[in-house]
Amino acid sequence: MSALPQPQSRSPFRSGPAALSRRSVLTTAGLVAAGVALDSALAAPSASAATAPAIFYSPHQDDEAIGLAGSILEHKAAGRPVYLVLVSRGENGDLAAIMNQGACRTLGDRCSAPGHTHDLGWQETWPTPEVVSGRTAEFKASAKALGVDKVINFDLSDEAFGDYDGFVKKVMAKVRALAQQYPGASHKFAAGWLDKTATHKACSDAAYWLMKNGELTDVRFNHIYAYQQFPNPADRGRGAAYVLDIPAAQMAKKRAAILAYNTWDPSRNLYTLGYHSVPTWLEQAYADPREFVYTLPSGYKPGPAA
């Protein structure tokens, strides 16, 4: 397996005056009502004393490795049980077509399968069963590298690009069930208003409505696609409540999770699908030892991404 680029030096960028402390981002009660930013002065008990899990919601396979892994490892280090949820099945006909066309997509020799002529004959029409199965195998390998305590698969068809409102309601029902099963849990979603993809925004909307209803109180949002939106590392984290500097030992585990998406081993149902799909974002996440955590902005507007 070819290695991804060597990590860049740690950026001097730090979070601004609205930043939350490391302790408070792990354990505070979050937003009391939707649309109200969390006050950084709120006090909190020690993170190590918390027994309720931190639940992380990955909209698709690979999102957890790109933008959630460092935060997952931070919570693990603080003594929190961590549950990782795969929200959607990640059906993708375009990715099936790529896997049927031969050589690796872009960045050539940095793909783990250089020289392979894939021509896999996968189904390119919905529901793309081989893509779903392969992507989920990569997700499980990533979760294992991160050492999460439990993996939960919502097994929802990725319908946010069609029946958006219906998909939001399905996510809400699943999250509501977890909140009831694990009272006191914290919930970590994608910052969909920043990621600007339908599925990510739908997950943010589900959190918004559950917060507005008082069903969730401790909520954070990670900007998963900061690497897509801001290729220049100095521009990332704008408006973040908290910029996580990932310690070296934890960054090594995040990189292992990323490499789960750059592994060609058909005997384990691993086809480097993540790397065929979003190689640039995976490499940028591999190189940047930071993640970007937000609270819901005031004036948040539910609905499809603009």
PDB file of all heavy atoms in Angstrom, residues 5 17-18 37 42 78 87 89 112 146 160 163 170 182 200 210-211 222 236 239 264 272 274 279 290:
ATOM      1  N   PRO A   5       1.055  11.355   1.620  1.00  0.00           N
ATOM      2  CA  PRO A   5       2.164  12.283   1.825  1.00  0.00           C
ATOM      3  C   PRO A   5       2.530  12.410   3.293  1.00  0.00           C
ATOM      4  O   PRO A   5       1.710  12.243   4.191  1.00  0.00           O
ATOM      5  CB  PRO A   5       1.600  13.614   1.288  1.00  0.00           C
ATOM      6  CG  PRO A   5       0.512  13.220   0.369  1.00  0.00           C
ATOM      7  CD  PRO A   5      -0.062  11.965   0.917  1.00  0.00           C
ATOM      8  N   PRO A  17     -11.310  34.261  19.700  1.00  0.00           N
ATOM      9  CA  PRO A  17     -11.805  34.564  21.036  1.00  0.00           C
ATOM     10  C   PRO A  17     -13.071  33.801  21.397  1.00  0.00           C
ATOM     11  O   PRO A  17     -13.393  33.666  22.564  1.00  0.00           O
ATOM     12  CB  PRO A  17     -12.074  36.070  20.984  1.00  0.00           C
ATOM     13  CG  PRO A  17     -12.212  36.385  19.529  1.00  0.00           C
ATOM     14  CD  PRO A  17     -11.286  35.443  18.837  1.00  0.00           C
ATOM     15  N   ALA A  18     -13.785  33.271  20.383  1.00  0.00           N
ATOM     16  CA  ALA A  18     -15.004  32.520  20.687  1.00  0.00           C
ATOM     17  C   ALA A  18     -14.706  31.063  21.013  1.00  0.00           C
ATOM     18  O   ALA A  18     -15.597  30.264  21.181  1.00  0.00           O
ATOM     19  CB  ALA A  18     -15.966  32.583  19.494  1.00  0.00           C
ATOM     20  N   ALA A  37     -25.627  30.436  20.280  1.00  0.00           N
ATOM     21  CA  ALA A  37     -24.244  29.978  20.380  1.00  0.00           C
ATOM     22  C   ALA A  37     -23.888  29.677  21.822  1.00  0.00           C
ATOM     23  O   ALA A  37     -24.356  30.329  22.746  1.00  0.00           O
ATOM     24  CB  ALA A  37     -23.297  31.036  19.817  1.00  0.00           C
ATOM     25  N   LEU A  42     -19.121  28.875  30.070  1.00  0.00           N
ATOM     26  CA  LEU A  42     -19.866  27.872  30.806  1.00  0.00           C
ATOM     27  C   LEU A  42     -18.915  26.903  31.489  1.00  0.00           C
ATOM     28  O   LEU A  42     -17.939  26.459  30.907  1.00  0.00           O
ATOM     29  CB  LEU A  42     -20.784  27.096  29.856  1.00  0.00           C
ATOM     30  CG  LEU A  42     -21.991  27.862  29.303  1.00  0.00           C
ATOM     31  CD1 LEU A  42     -22.739  26.995  28.310  1.00  0.00           C
ATOM     32  CD2 LEU A  42     -22.927  28.279  30.431  1.00  0.00           C
ATOM     33  N   ALA A  78     -10.015  11.152  26.882  1.00  0.00           N
ATOM     34  CA  ALA A  78     -10.619  11.742  28.069  1.00  0.00           C
ATOM     35  C   ALA A  78     -11.406  10.730  28.889  1.00  0.00           C
ATOM     36  O   ALA A  78     -11.969  11.075  29.925  1.00  0.00           O
ATOM     37  CB  ALA A  78     -11.529  12.899  27.666  1.00  0.00           C
ATOM     38  N   VAL A  87     -24.477   6.915   9.066  1.00  0.00           N
ATOM     39  CA  VAL A  87     -25.851   7.358   8.832  1.00  0.00           C
ATOM     40  C   VAL A  87     -26.438   6.751   7.570  1.00  0.00           C
ATOM     41  O   VAL A  87     -27.520   6.167   7.585  1.00  0.00           O
ATOM     42  CB  VAL A  87     -25.923   8.897   8.780  1.00  0.00           C
ATOM     43  CG1 VAL A  87     -27.336   9.349   8.406  1.00  0.00           C
ATOM     44  CG2 VAL A  87     -25.505   9.500  10.116  1.00  0.00           C
ATOM     45  N   ARG A  89     -26.131   4.584   3.650  1.00  0.00           N
ATOM     46  CA  ARG A  89     -25.458   3.463   2.983  1.00  0.00           C
ATOM     47  C   ARG A  89     -24.383   3.938   2.012  1.00  0.00           C
ATOM     48  O   ARG A  89     -23.488   3.190   1.656  1.00  0.00           O
ATOM     49  CB  ARG A  89     -26.484   2.615   2.232  1.00  0.00           C
ATOM     50  CG  ARG A  89     -27.492   1.926   3.143  1.00  0.00           C
ATOM     51  CD  ARG A  89     -28.569   1.215   2.327  1.00  0.00           C
ATOM     52  NE  ARG A  89     -29.689   0.847   3.181  1.00  0.00           N
ATOM     53  CZ  ARG A  89     -30.941   0.721   2.770  1.00  0.00           C
ATOM     54  NH1 ARG A  89     -31.239   0.951   1.484  1.00  0.00           N
ATOM     55  NH2 ARG A  89     -31.892   0.383   3.610  1.00  0.00           N
ATOM     56  N   SER A 112      -3.222   3.087  -3.668  1.00  0.00           N
ATOM     57  CA  SER A 112      -2.686   1.816  -3.190  1.00  0.00           C
ATOM     58  C   SER A 112      -2.801   0.711  -4.224  1.00  0.00           C
ATOM     59  O   SER A 112      -2.323  -0.394  -3.997  1.00  0.00           O
ATOM     60  CB  SER A 112      -3.412   1.391  -1.914  1.00  0.00           C
ATOM     61  OG  SER A 112      -4.764   1.071  -2.202  1.00  0.00           O
ATOM     62  N   LEU A 146      -9.501   3.444  14.892  1.00  0.00           N
ATOM     63  CA  LEU A 146      -9.763   4.492  15.874  1.00  0.00           C
ATOM     64  C   LEU A 146     -10.093   3.928  17.252  1.00  0.00           C
ATOM     65  O   LEU A 146     -10.107   4.677  18.235  1.00  0.00           O
ATOM     66  CB  LEU A 146     -10.918   5.383  15.399  1.00  0.00           C
ATOM     67  CG  LEU A 146     -10.658   6.184  14.119  1.00  0.00           C
ATOM     68  CD1 LEU A 146     -11.927   6.880  13.659  1.00  0.00           C
ATOM     69  CD2 LEU A 146      -9.542   7.196  14.340  1.00  0.00           C
ATOM     70  N   ALA A 160     -31.123  11.970   0.608  1.00  0.00           N
ATOM     71  CA  ALA A 160     -31.154  13.413   0.854  1.00  0.00           C
ATOM     72  C   ALA A 160     -31.158  14.207  -0.447  1.00  0.00           C
ATOM     73  O   ALA A 160     -31.605  15.353  -0.466  1.00  0.00           O
ATOM     74  CB  ALA A 160     -29.969  13.823   1.719  1.00  0.00           C
ATOM     75  N   ASP A 163     -35.708  12.920  -1.646  1.00  0.00           N
ATOM     76  CA  ASP A 163     -36.701  13.244  -0.619  1.00  0.00           C
ATOM     77  C   ASP A 163     -35.969  13.804   0.601  1.00  0.00           C
ATOM     78  O   ASP A 163     -35.772  13.117   1.601  1.00  0.00           O
ATOM     79  CB  ASP A 163     -37.496  11.987  -0.250  1.00  0.00           C
ATOM     80  CG  ASP A 163     -38.567  12.253   0.803  1.00  0.00           C
ATOM     81  OD1 ASP A 163     -38.822  13.443   1.121  1.00  0.00           O
ATOM     82  OD2 ASP A 163     -39.134  11.274   1.323  1.00  0.00           O
ATOM     83  N   LYS A 170     -36.164  10.645   8.924  1.00  0.00           N
ATOM     84  CA  LYS A 170     -35.625   9.318   9.232  1.00  0.00           C
ATOM     85  C   LYS A 170     -34.407   9.424  10.134  1.00  0.00           C
ATOM     86  O   LYS A 170     -34.237   8.634  11.080  1.00  0.00           O
ATOM     87  CB  LYS A 170     -35.275   8.585   7.938  1.00  0.00           C
ATOM     88  CG  LYS A 170     -36.486   8.163   7.119  1.00  0.00           C
ATOM     89  CD  LYS A 170     -36.071   7.508   5.812  1.00  0.00           C
ATOM     90  CE  LYS A 170     -37.288   7.129   4.984  1.00  0.00           C
ATOM     91  NZ  LYS A 170     -36.912   6.526   3.673  1.00  0.00           N
ATOM     92  N   TYR A 182     -29.462   6.254  25.446  1.00  0.00           N
ATOM     93  CA  TYR A 182     -28.251   6.679  26.148  1.00  0.00           C
ATOM     94  C   TYR A 182     -28.451   8.094  26.700  1.00  0.00           C
ATOM     95  O   TYR A 182     -27.907   9.064  26.171  1.00  0.00           O
ATOM     96  CB  TYR A 182     -27.041   6.629  25.217  1.00  0.00           C
ATOM     97  CG  TYR A 182     -26.791   5.264  24.629  1.00  0.00           C
ATOM     98  CD1 TYR A 182     -27.081   4.995  23.291  1.00  0.00           C
ATOM     99  CD2 TYR A 182     -26.299   4.225  25.416  1.00  0.00           C
ATOM    100  CE1 TYR A 182     -26.865   3.736  22.742  1.00  0.00           C
ATOM    101  CE2 TYR A 182     -26.076   2.960  24.885  1.00  0.00           C
ATOM    102  CZ  TYR A 182     -26.360   2.724  23.548  1.00  0.00           C
ATOM    103  OH  TYR A 182     -26.153   1.473  23.017  1.00  0.00           O
ATOM    104  N   HIS A 200     -25.016  15.793   4.444  1.00  0.00           N
ATOM    105  CA  HIS A 200     -24.433  16.440   5.616  1.00  0.00           C
ATOM    106  C   HIS A 200     -25.386  17.490   6.189  1.00  0.00           C
ATOM    107  O   HIS A 200     -25.569  17.594   7.402  1.00  0.00           O
ATOM    108  CB  HIS A 200     -23.099  17.094   5.251  1.00  0.00           C
ATOM    109  CG  HIS A 200     -22.017  16.118   4.941  1.00  0.00           C
ATOM    110  ND1 HIS A 200     -20.694  16.328   5.291  1.00  0.00           N
ATOM    111  CD2 HIS A 200     -22.030  14.914   4.322  1.00  0.00           C
ATOM    112  CE1 HIS A 200     -19.962  15.310   4.895  1.00  0.00           C
ATOM    113  NE2 HIS A 200     -20.754  14.445   4.289  1.00  0.00           N
ATOM    114  N   LEU A 210     -34.120  18.431  16.691  1.00  0.00           N
ATOM    115  CA  LEU A 210     -34.099  17.732  17.974  1.00  0.00           C
ATOM    116  C   LEU A 210     -33.651  18.655  19.103  1.00  0.00           C
ATOM    117  O   LEU A 210     -34.140  18.557  20.233  1.00  0.00           O
ATOM    118  CB  LEU A 210     -33.188  16.506  17.886  1.00  0.00           C
ATOM    119  CG  LEU A 210     -33.712  15.376  16.994  1.00  0.00           C
ATOM    120  CD1 LEU A 210     -32.629  14.342  16.755  1.00  0.00           C
ATOM    121  CD2 LEU A 210     -34.958  14.724  17.601  1.00  0.00           C
ATOM    122  N   MET A 211     -32.745  19.571  18.801  1.00  0.00           N
ATOM    123  CA  MET A 211     -32.339  20.567  19.792  1.00  0.00           C
ATOM    124  C   MET A 211     -33.488  21.536  20.072  1.00  0.00           C
ATOM    125  O   MET A 211     -33.771  21.882  21.219  1.00  0.00           O
ATOM    126  CB  MET A 211     -31.110  21.322  19.286  1.00  0.00           C
ATOM    127  CG  MET A 211     -29.856  20.461  19.186  1.00  0.00           C
ATOM    128  SD  MET A 211     -28.594  21.213  18.136  1.00  0.00           S
ATOM    129  CE  MET A 211     -28.103  22.597  19.138  1.00  0.00           C
ATOM    130  N   ASN A 222     -18.691  19.098  13.477  1.00  0.00           N
ATOM    131  CA  ASN A 222     -17.357  19.166  12.882  1.00  0.00           C
ATOM    132  C   ASN A 222     -17.463  19.539  11.406  1.00  0.00           C
ATOM    133  O   ASN A 222     -18.287  18.978  10.679  1.00  0.00           O
ATOM    134  CB  ASN A 222     -16.638  17.825  13.009  1.00  0.00           C
ATOM    135  CG  ASN A 222     -16.015  17.616  14.366  1.00  0.00           C
ATOM    136  OD1 ASN A 222     -16.622  17.930  15.391  1.00  0.00           O
ATOM    137  ND2 ASN A 222     -14.808  17.074  14.403  1.00  0.00           N
ATOM    138  N   ARG A 236      -8.603  27.611   7.137  1.00  0.00           N
ATOM    139  CA  ARG A 236      -9.525  26.661   7.759  1.00  0.00           C
ATOM    140  C   ARG A 236      -9.888  27.098   9.170  1.00  0.00           C
ATOM    141  O   ARG A 236      -9.143  27.779   9.841  1.00  0.00           O
ATOM    142  CB  ARG A 236      -8.900  25.263   7.773  1.00  0.00           C
ATOM    143  CG  ARG A 236      -8.652  24.710   6.390  1.00  0.00           C
ATOM    144  CD  ARG A 236      -7.874  23.415   6.398  1.00  0.00           C
ATOM    145  NE  ARG A 236      -7.418  23.103   5.031  1.00  0.00           N
ATOM    146  CZ  ARG A 236      -6.390  22.344   4.733  1.00  0.00           C
ATOM    147  NH1 ARG A 236      -5.685  21.785   5.699  1.00  0.00           N
ATOM    148  NH2 ARG A 236      -6.057  22.132   3.482  1.00  0.00           N
ATOM    149  N   GLY A 239     -14.455  30.914  12.168  1.00  0.00           N
ATOM    150  CA  GLY A 239     -15.673  30.890  12.958  1.00  0.00           C
ATOM    151  C   GLY A 239     -15.825  29.689  13.861  1.00  0.00           C
ATOM    152  O   GLY A 239     -16.854  29.540  14.521  1.00  0.00           O
ATOM    153  N   TRP A 264      -5.935  -1.736  -0.932  1.00  0.00           N
ATOM    154  CA  TRP A 264      -6.438  -2.642  -1.970  1.00  0.00           C
ATOM    155  C   TRP A 264      -6.216  -4.069  -1.493  1.00  0.00           C
ATOM    156  O   TRP A 264      -5.117  -4.583  -1.491  1.00  0.00           O
ATOM    157  CB  TRP A 264      -5.714  -2.402  -3.291  1.00  0.00           C
ATOM    158  CG  TRP A 264      -6.180  -3.298  -4.404  1.00  0.00           C
ATOM    159  CD1 TRP A 264      -5.683  -4.512  -4.761  1.00  0.00           C
ATOM    160  CD2 TRP A 264      -7.257  -3.039  -5.312  1.00  0.00           C
ATOM    161  NE1 TRP A 264      -6.372  -5.040  -5.815  1.00  0.00           N
ATOM    162  CE2 TRP A 264      -7.344  -4.154  -6.178  1.00  0.00           C
ATOM    163  CE3 TRP A 264      -8.143  -1.982  -5.474  1.00  0.00           C
ATOM    164  CZ2 TRP A 264      -8.299  -4.230  -7.208  1.00  0.00           C
ATOM    165  CZ3 TRP A 264      -9.080  -2.058  -6.488  1.00  0.00           C
ATOM    166  CH2 TRP A 264      -9.154  -3.167  -7.352  1.00  0.00           C
ATOM    167  N   THR A 272      -9.943   0.332  -1.998  1.00  0.00           N
ATOM    168  CA  THR A 272      -9.500   1.731  -1.961  1.00  0.00           C
ATOM    169  C   THR A 272     -10.556   2.674  -2.543  1.00  0.00           C
ATOM    170  O   THR A 272     -10.254   3.612  -3.283  1.00  0.00           O
ATOM    171  CB  THR A 272      -8.121   1.897  -2.656  1.00  0.00           C
ATOM    172  OG1 THR A 272      -7.621   3.198  -2.399  1.00  0.00           O
ATOM    173  CG2 THR A 272      -8.147   1.634  -4.136  1.00  0.00           C
ATOM    174  N   GLY A 274     -12.509   4.910  -0.968  1.00  0.00           N
ATOM    175  CA  GLY A 274     -12.376   6.289  -0.515  1.00  0.00           C
ATOM    176  C   GLY A 274     -11.368   7.054  -1.334  1.00  0.00           C
ATOM    177  O   GLY A 274     -11.582   8.217  -1.694  1.00  0.00           O
ATOM    178  N   PRO A 279      -9.747  11.522  -3.099  1.00  0.00           N
ATOM    179  CA  PRO A 279      -8.333  11.394  -2.709  1.00  0.00           C
ATOM    180  C   PRO A 279      -7.735  12.679  -2.170  1.00  0.00           C
ATOM    181  O   PRO A 279      -6.955  12.647  -1.208  1.00  0.00           O
ATOM    182  CB  PRO A 279      -7.643  10.953  -4.008  1.00  0.00           C
ATOM    183  CG  PRO A 279      -8.554  11.451  -5.100  1.00  0.00           C
ATOM    184  CD  PRO A 279      -9.933  11.303  -4.549  1.00  0.00           C
ATOM    185  N   ARG A 290      -5.273  18.998  12.587  1.00  0.00           N
ATOM    186  CA  ARG A 290      -6.287  19.810  13.255  1.00  0.00           C
ATOM    187  C   ARG A 290      -7.673  19.362  12.809  1.00  0.00           C
ATOM    188  O   ARG A 290      -7.842  18.797  11.726  1.00  0.00           O
ATOM    189  CB  ARG A 290      -6.131  21.295  12.900  1.00  0.00           C
ATOM    190  CG  ARG A 290      -4.827  21.938  13.318  1.00  0.00           C
ATOM    191  CD  ARG A 290      -4.737  23.361  12.779  1.00  0.00           C
ATOM    192  NE  ARG A 290      -4.782  23.350  11.318  1.00  0.00           N
ATOM    193  CZ  ARG A 290      -5.091  24.415  10.574  1.00  0.00           C
ATOM    194  NH1 ARG A 290      -5.402  25.567  11.142  1.00  0.00           N
ATOM    195  NH2 ARG A 290      -5.083  24.337   9.258  1.00  0.00           N
TER     196      ARG A 290
END
